[in-house]
Structure formats: C-alpha cells, structure tokens
Amino acid sequence: MNLALSVRDQELLMKFAESSQINLQRLLDARENAKPGERLPYDPAMGLTAMEYDELYDAFQRMRLVVSGEAQLRFLNDGPGRYILDGGSDLREMTGLVIE
C-alpha cells in the first residue's frame, strides 16, 4: 500500500517543492520559528497563492491508501502458539519473522 494524493494535490506539492528549492533558507527560517504542531504561516515565497497553500495543507487530510501490488504471506505453524512467516520472493523482508 502507498499513500496517494490527487493529481491536483500533486501539482500543488510540486509547485511548492520547486519554489522551496529556490527559497530554501527562507523556508528553513520559517520552520525554525514555528511552534511545534502548527503549520507554517503563509509566505508568497512558497510559490503558491494563499488559497493554494490552504488547499495543499488540506491535501494531507485527503490522502488515501492505494494498492501498490499484491503478494502472498504464509503463516507456517512451528509448534503451539508459534508461527514463522514466509513471504516468498515478493516479501523477502518478512520471511523468517516469528510470531509467538
């Protein structure tokens, strides 16, 4: 599963990212002065209009999970209350994990 944004939200994010590279120090300064848990105040140097900035901020609430692929994960019984995971070639990182 992957997190996904709409096409419009991706466009806004790219616009913000491009401007952020140009105005990186200004953005870092704003982040340093921001209170934890609060969003950065709007700044035209972000490359967005104030409305676009609000839209981008809200985009992160609209993100959704999308299927990125399918794989089979097997639970192999290895005794009472013990299972070993087998992810095959698609989920190698899970193969060998033990659940007790």
Side-chain angles (χ1 to χ4, degrees):
M1 302 294 274
N2 286 327
L3 288 172
L5 292 168
S6 71
V7 172
R8 168 69 176 157
D9 294 339
Q10 289 177 40
E11 290 169 355
L12 291 173
L13 187 58
M14 289 303 296
K15 191 174 175 182
F16 175 78
E18 289 170 4
S19 181
S20 296
Q21 289 177 352
I22 296 167
N23 299 299
L24 181 60
Q25 190 57 53
R26 194 164 168 175
L27 183 62
L28 291 174
D29 291 344
R31 193 179 103 208
E32 190 173 301
N33 296 325
K35 293 180 183 175
E38 291 185 10
R39 74 178 185 169
L40 297 178
Y42 170 72
D43 184 335
M46 293 175 173
L48 304 169
T49 66
M51 287 180 63
E52 287 174 330
Y53 180 62
D54 289 339
E55 189 179 347
L56 179 61
Y57 181 78
D58 293 339
F60 297 106
Q61 304 303 315
R62 293 189 299 269
M63 280 195 298
R64 62 192 188 292
L65 288 174
V66 294
V67 174
S68 59
E70 292 186 22
Q72 187 176 53
L73 179 62
R74 295 178 18 185
F75 291 72
L76 306 173
N77 191 332
D78 192 44
R82 180 179 164 92
Y83 297 90
I84 299 175
L85 302 183
D86 177 7
S89 61
D90 292 329
L91 297 171
R92 288 185 199 140
E93 61 277 1
M94 298 195 72
T95 297
L97 292 177
V98 176
I99 298 174
E100 295 184 294

